[in-house]
C-alpha cells in the first residue's frame, strides 16, 4: 500500500480524498494555486505545495508541475479527483512512466472510452444498447442532414470530446441543424481543443440513470447499483438519488449487468460510471462512460456502505476488491443535492465572494461534503460548487423529509446559493412522485419559479 498520495485537485473533492487517505493511514499531499492559498482544506493535508497561478492551465492542469510536486514530496501515487486532469490519459501515462501510480483506469481503457463516439463502439461490441446515432463523426452539414432525415427530428449534435454539457445542441429542423452544427463545433474546439461532433436521436423526456462500477487489476469488476440524476438544468445535474424511483427491478438488473459487460470489454479497472438514458417505456440506452470518480459518488456510498475512494486507492495499489458482487446490497434511499455559489433568481449567475455566515445542517441521516467555512472566499476561477448535502433514510419519503429539514436549517450569507431553488424542488409533486425527466426543470419549474 502507498505511504503518501498527492491529491491533484481542489475544493471538496480534494478534502474527500485527503480524508480517505487518512482513513487508510496514508499521508496526503495537497497542491494549490495562488487563488487557493490559505484555503481551509489545505490545513488538513500533511504537506502542501503551490503549483502555480490561479488560471487552471498553469496550475491544476499543469502536468509537469504536478508530477514534479509528487516527485519532490515522495508521493507514490496521484489521485486526480474529478474534472481537471482526471480523464486525461496522457497525464495518466506520464504519471506511470515517472513511476507514480495514477489512481484511475488503465490508459488503454481511458482512450477507448474517453471519447463519446468511440465508447459507443465499445458498447455495441459488449452488446449494450446505444442511442441511435451517426456512424462515427459527422464532418459536413450535408452528412448531418442526411442522418437527421433518416432518423427524424429532433436530433442532438454532440461533441465527441464533450463534457459538462458543452458542445451540445438540439436541432428540430434543417435550419437549427445548420446553426447548431456550427456552434457545437466552435464550442467544442474552444473547450476541448477538439471540434469533432457526432449526431444522436434526441430522446423525448428521458431519465438519466447511471451505474457505478469498480474493478481491480485482477479482472474483477462489480457494480454498486444505480443513481438517478434526472433533475438537471442545461444538462448539468442538480440532484442525484439511489435507487432510481419507479425503475422496474428487472430493468435495474439488466442495466447493471450491461455496465459490467462494457467495463469488462474495455478491460477497465478502478472506479467509473456508465451513463444511460431511459425512455418512457423503460428502454435504456448507453450514452457515455465517466472514467473517473464522479461528484455524486457519495450517494452510492450511503446506500451500499462501500467507500468508493478508499476502494479506488486499494485497487490502484494492486489489491483485490474488498467486495464480491453478492456482498453489495442497496439499502434504503440516499439523495444528494449540489449547492452551488450561483443566484437561481438571476439565471444561475455565478456568485463568488466571501462567505459571511455558514451554518450547515446536521443531525440524523445527514452528510455534508464541503470545503467551505465562514470567512472563506469563493474564488471566481473555478467550479461554483460549495457543498454536497446528502441524506440517507430507510425510505424515499423519509429521505425527502430529512432533506427538507436540512435545507431549511442551512444558512449561507455573503454569497448567493442554489439552496432556495432546492427547497422548492423538494416540495414539487412531480419530483416527490419520482416522475421527472432531464428537461423538467427548464420546462416546468423555472418558468413558474418566483425566485
Ligand atoms: P456531458 O458529458 O456533456 O455531461 P452527456 O452525454 O453525459 O454529456 O449528456 C448529458 C445530458 O444531456 C444527459 O444526462 C441528458 O440529459 C442529455 N442528453 C444526452 N444525450 C441525449 C439524447 N440522445 N437525447 C436526449 N437527451 C440527451
Amino acid at each position: 500500500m502507498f505511504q503518501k498520495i498527492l491529491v491533484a485537485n481542489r475544493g471538496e473533492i480534494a478534502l474527500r480524498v485527503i480524508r480517505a487517505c487518512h482513513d487508510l493511514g496514508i499521508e496526503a499531499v495537497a497542491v494549490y494555486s495562488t487563488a487557493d492559498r490559505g484555503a481551509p482544506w489545505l490545513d488538513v493535508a500533511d504537506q502542501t505545495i503551490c503549483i502555480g497561478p490561479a488560471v487552471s492551465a498553469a496550475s491544476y492542469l499543469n502536468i509537469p508541475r504536478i508530477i514534479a510536486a509528487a516527485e519532490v514530496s515522495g508521493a507514490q501515487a496521484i489521485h486526480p479527483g474529478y474534472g481537471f486532469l482526471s480523464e486525461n490519459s496522457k497525464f495518466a501515462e506520464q504519471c506511470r512512466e515517472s513511476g507514480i501510480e495514477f489512481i484511475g483506469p488503465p490508459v488503454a481503457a481511458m482512450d477507448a472510452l474517453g471519447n463519446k463516439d468511440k465508447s459507443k463502439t465499445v458498447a455495441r461490441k459488449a452488446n449494450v444498447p446505444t442511442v441511435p446515432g451517426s456512424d462515427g463523426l459527422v464532418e459536413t452539414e450535408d452528412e448531418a442532414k442526411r442522418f437527421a432525415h433518416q432518423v427524424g427530428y429532433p436530433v442532438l449534435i454532440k461533441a465527441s470530446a464533450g463534457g459538462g454539457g458543452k458542445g451540445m445542441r438540439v436541432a428540430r429542423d434543417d435550419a437549427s441543424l445548420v446553426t447548431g452544427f456550427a456552434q457545437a463545433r466552435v464550442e467544442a474546439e474552444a473547450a476541448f481543443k477538439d471540434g469533432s461532433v457526432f449526431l444522436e436521436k434526441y430522446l423525448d423526456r428521458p431519465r438519466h440513470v447511471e451505474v457505478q462500477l469498480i474493478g481491480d487489476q485482477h479482472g474483477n469488476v462489480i457494480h454498486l447499483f444505480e443513481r438517478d440524476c434526472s433533475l438537471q438544468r442545461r444538462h448539468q445535474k442538480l440532484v442525484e438519488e439511489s435507487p432510481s424511483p419507479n425503475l422496474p427491478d428487472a430493468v435495474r438488473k439488466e442495466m447493471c449487468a450491461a455496465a459490467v459487460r462494457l467495463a469488462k470489454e474495455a478491460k477497465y479497472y478502478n472506479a467509473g460510471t456508465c451513463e444511460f438514458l431511459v425512455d418512457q417505456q423503460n428502454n435504456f440506452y448507453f450514452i457515455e462512460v465517466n472514467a473517473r470518480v464522479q461528484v455524486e459518488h457519495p450517494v452510492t456510498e450511503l446506500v451500499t456502505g462501500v467507500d468508493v475512494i478508499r476502494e479506488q486507492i486499494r485497487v490502484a495499489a494492486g489489491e483485490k476488491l474488498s467486495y464480491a458482487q453478492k456482498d453489495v446490497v442497496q439499502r434504503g434511499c440516499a439523495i444528494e443535492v449540489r449547492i452551488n455559489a450561483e443566484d437561481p433568481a438571476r439565471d444561475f449567475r455565478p456568485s463568488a465572494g466571501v462567505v459571511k455566515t455558514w451554518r450547515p445542517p446536521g443531525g440524523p441521516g445527514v452528510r455534508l461534503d464541503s470545503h467551505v467555512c465562514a470567512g472563506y472566499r469563493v474564488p471566481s476561477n473555478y467550479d461554483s460548487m460549495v457543498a454536497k448535502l446528502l441524506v440517507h433514510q430507510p425510505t424515499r419519503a423519509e429521505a425527502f423529509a430529512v432533506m427538507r429539514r436540512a435545507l431549511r436549517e442551512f444558512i449561507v450569507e455573503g454569497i448567493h446559493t442554489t439552496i432556495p431553488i432546492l427547497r422548492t424542488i423538494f416540495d414539487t409533486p412531480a419530483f416527490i412522485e419520482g416522475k421527472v425527466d432531464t428537461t423538467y426543470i427548464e420546462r416546468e419549474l423555472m418558468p413558474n419559479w418566483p425566485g
Side-chain angles (χ1 to χ4, degrees):
M1 179 47 81
F2 313 116
Q3 278 90 50
K4 211 184 231 193
I5 291 175
L6 182 137
V7 186
N9 215 299
R10 63 177 302 284
E12 76 82 20
I13 191 65
L15 180 57
R16 171 73 189 88
V17 176
I18 295 168
R19 284 175 170 156
C21 289
H22 289 166
D23 290 344
L24 289 166
I26 299 168
E27 282 186 38
V29 182
V31 293
Y32 63 95
S33 74
T34 51
D36 284 332
R37 190 184 297 284
W41 71 89
L42 299 174
D43 293 342
V44 190
D46 300 278
Q47 197 176 340
T48 60
I49 299 175
C50 183
I51 47 163
V55 51
S56 307
S59 50
Y60 296 109
L61 293 172
N62 188 332
I63 296 178
R65 290 264 177 99
I66 291 172
I67 293 185
E71 281 169 343
V72 167
S73 63
Q76 297 112 358
I78 294 182
H79 195 301
Y82 50 70
F84 294 126
L85 294 169
S86 59
E87 292 186 273
N88 184 322
S89 64
K90 289 207 176 65
F91 176 58
E93 198 166 17
Q94 284 181 39
C95 287
R96 290 182 181 136
E97 276 170 4
S98 311
I100 297 161
E101 183 53 23
F102 172 81
I103 303 178
V107 170
M110 289 173 91
D111 284 338
L113 300 173
N115 178 299
K116 286 181 213 264
D117 73 298
K118 268 205 233 160
S119 70
K120 287 178 83 170
T121 312
V122 180
R124 279 186 221 109
K125 256 198 209 155
N127 208 10
V128 174
T130 58
V131 184
S134 56
D135 227 359
L137 301 176
V138 173
E139 313 274 355
T140 65
E141 270 172 25
D142 282 347
E143 245 183 279
K145 276 190 200 158
R146 228 175 296 132
F147 171 80
H149 295 166
Q150 194 189 317
V151 300
Y153 283 108
V155 298
L156 187 63
I157 306 152
K158 267 189 177 180
S160 174
K166 288 205 184 89
M168 221 190 282
R169 289 287 183 288
V170 182
R172 300 189 181 277
D173 48 39
D174 281 0
S176 59
L177 181 73
V178 170
T179 38
F181 184 68
Q183 286 169 345
R185 283 163 71 108
V186 169
E187 195 172 301
E189 181 64 44
F192 316 110
K193 292 199 186 99
D194 175 0
S196 47
V197 298
F198 66 101
L199 264 64
E200 260 177 14
K201 173 83 192 151
Y202 185 66
L203 298 180
D204 185 31
R205 301 185 186 186
R207 283 179 289 155
H208 173 118
V209 184
E210 59 188 31
V211 176
Q212 176 70 57
L213 296 162
I214 182 102
D216 62 25
Q217 300 186 45
H218 306 275
N220 304 302
V221 183
I222 61 170
H223 70 78
L224 304 177
F225 294 96
E226 86 287 6
R227 294 183 287 259
D228 191 310
C229 316
S230 299
L231 265 184
Q232 306 181 346
R233 182 182 161 268
R234 301 202 174 147
H235 307 308
Q236 294 277 44
K237 299 161 188 169
L238 291 179
V239 179
E240 300 101 348
E241 62 178 307
S242 184
S244 170
N246 302 322
L247 188 74
D249 226 16
V251 179
R252 171 178 296 110
K253 264 200 196 118
E254 257 186 72
M255 195 186 277
C256 291
V260 170
R261 264 199 324 272
L262 193 150
K264 288 196 166 158
E265 177 70 38
K267 300 201 169 31
Y268 197 92
Y269 57 71
N270 215 288
T273 299
C274 202
E275 296 191 331
F276 297 98
L277 293 179
V278 181
D279 71 13
Q280 287 162 27
Q281 290 74 45
N282 285 319
N283 299 304
F284 64 87
Y285 306 91
F286 166 81
I287 49 171
E288 68 164 339
V289 168
N290 283 157
R292 55 172 164 82
V293 74
Q294 279 185 307
V295 172
E296 59 270 27
H297 74 274
V299 172
T300 297
E301 298 188 320
L302 290 175
V303 288
T304 61
V306 176
D307 186 313
V308 174
I309 310 274
R310 231 190 264 178
E311 220 42 35
Q312 277 195 292
I313 296 172
R314 284 202 181 112
V315 299
E319 291 184 12
K320 284 197 171 154
L321 281 178
S322 325
Y323 304 84
Q325 189 66 68
K326 62 173 178 26
D327 302 331
V328 183
V329 286
Q330 206 175 15
R331 229 186 283 277
C333 168
I335 311 177
E336 172 179 279
V337 297
R338 299 188 187 195
I339 297 175
N340 295 338
E342 291 169 0
D343 185 355
R346 284 188 192 77
D347 201 29
F348 293 79
R349 198 160 64 190
S351 175
V354 177
V355 177
K356 294 207 176 74
T357 309
W358 183 259
R359 272 206 350 244
V366 174
R367 166 172 166 179
L368 187 76
D369 280 21
S370 172
H371 57 292
V372 174
C373 55
Y376 174 72
R377 175 184 290 277
V378 179
S380 57
N381 314 73
Y382 311 111
D383 185 85
S384 64
M385 196 171 68
V386 288
K388 303 190 303 203
L389 171 63
L390 292 113
V391 299
H392 184 214
Q393 289 292 294
T395 65
R396 192 166 182 267
E398 289 162 302
F400 266 61
V402 174
M403 184 60 90
R404 283 191 201 103
R405 179 248 291 171
L407 285 168
R408 195 168 59 205
E409 282 180 21
F410 208 151
I411 298 184
V412 182
E413 287 168 339
I415 55 165
H416 291 283
T417 73
T418 45
I419 292 173
I421 188 82
L422 291 167
R423 287 183 185 138
T424 303
I425 286 172
F426 279 84
D427 285 328
T428 301
F431 183 42
I432 295 168
E433 290 160 24
K435 288 189 182 144
V436 294
D437 62 83
T438 56
T439 60
Y440 182 82
I441 299 255
E442 279 127 321
R443 210 182 59 239
E444 305 277 347
L445 195 80
M446 287 321 290
N448 301 315
W449 195 57

